[in-house]
Amino acid sequence: MGCVHEETFRAMRQSIIDGAPEAAATLAQKSFVLGIAPLEAIDQGFVPGMNDVGEQFTLRTVFLPDMMAAAEAMKAAMNVLEPVLKQQGTERPCAGKVILGTAKGDIHEIGKTLVGTLLTAHGFQVHDLGVDVPSDHFAAAAADLAADIVGVSALLTTTMRGQKAVVEAIEHAGLRPRVKVIVGGAPVTRRWAEEIRADGYAKDAMRAVALVQGLMGSHSDTIRVS
Ligand code: B1M
């Protein structure tokens, strides 16, 4: 038997493939009425649409303007869903300070922003440095804001080395091991995280929350994976 929301998820996926921000925003609104949890709408509706567009881009059946339109539609959906996700964290005591950003040369922001939203929802104070962030900016922000965790997202195989540069910058600034560095993004693997001596790696946004919670409560030097 199929899921009762299957049709809505399919329409959400299609709104991203079509690059249709208005339809995506309307479906995001509709999810509240239907009792679909925001994270469920993201994971089962909108993100599969982004993945589909990415695969078609690899196959050259869609092109850069289509990918940009898909990202606009995704952002329109997130604009509706994010405030509700964030609301859950507003009345909690601060669970820790996290600096987030996308590695130098990389402008993919959707996954990184989702990680930030979920961390906020779980009571973390998040400072988002945005996209295309040089490694020394991560280190300066970590020192200025007395951060506990620095998270670096990379969506391109070529910008993953920016994550390594952040680990080194944090080290050179004398902030390690107090400040932990975590990495993520579609091409990033646990093996890469180990190779660059990051403190942790998470495959998706929910796992990033579990990872950060674990690191806040741990004094271990071993790498964590969520
Ligand atoms: Co680009 N792009 N893109 N793109 N894009 C990819 C990444 C690509 C895989 C598409 C493909 O070829 N199939 C490919 C990379 C190939 C590679 O290096 N291996 C690619 C390419 C090639 C490019 C350009 C070079 C294209 C060009 O110009 N010729 C160019 C590069 C620009 C640059 O950064 N310098 C480019 C540009 C763009 C757009 C601007 C059009 C747009 C981004 C718009 C924006 O963000 N504002 C875009 C998009 C939308 C994509 C795809 C289709 C979708 C990315 C996305 O938002 N996914 C993508 C294909 C794909 O990934 N399927 C693709 C949804 C998001 C929720 O998932 O970001 O993976 P994701 O985040 C997940 C996890 O990875 C994890 O949690 C998130 C939620 O669960 N996670 C973390 C992410 N960060 C984390 C950090 C953590 C922990 C977990 O801790 C710190």
Side-chain angles (χ1 to χ4, degrees), residues 50-51 54 57-58 67-68 105 107-109 111 153 157 185-186 202 204-205:
M50 290 301 282
N51 290 338
F57 182 75
T58 307
M67 211 151 78
M68 289 169 80
I107 61 164
H108 294 87
E109 65 184 336
S153 180
T157 42
D204 60 39

Side-chain angles (χ1 to χ4, degrees), residues 43 47 50-51 53-55 57-58 64 67-68 70-71 74-75 100 105-112 114-115 151-158 182-187 202-206 208:
D43 282 348
V47 167
M50 290 301 282
N51 290 338
V53 172
E55 279 160 28
F57 182 75
T58 307
L64 196 55
M67 211 151 78
M68 289 169 80
M74 183 76 194
K75 281 204 269 180
L100 267 189
D106 199 321
I107 61 164
H108 294 87
E109 65 184 336
I110 296 167
K112 176 266 303 163
L114 181 55
V115 170
V152 194
S153 180
L155 265 285
L156 299 170
T157 42
T158 49
I182 66 162
V183 293
K203 191 176 169 9
D204 60 39
M206 262 328 278

Side-chain angles (χ1 to χ4, degrees), residues 156-196:
L156 299 170
T157 42
T158 49
T159 57
M160 282 165 64
R161 69 175 78 109
Q163 297 179 318
K164 182 169 189 266
V166 174
V167 172
E168 289 165 358
I170 296 286
E171 210 158 75
H172 289 154
L175 298 169
R176 268 190 135 187
R178 195 188 63 74
V179 177
K180 312 280 186 214
V181 182
I182 66 162
V183 293
V188 178
T189 59
R190 177 195 172 170
R191 181 188 278 248
W192 170 248
E194 280 170 355
E195 193 180 319
I196 65 171

Side-chain angles (χ1 to χ4, degrees), residues 19-33:
E22 280 176 22
T26 305
L27 285 158
Q29 288 287 357
K30 193 177 159 193
S31 70
F32 302 140
V33 182

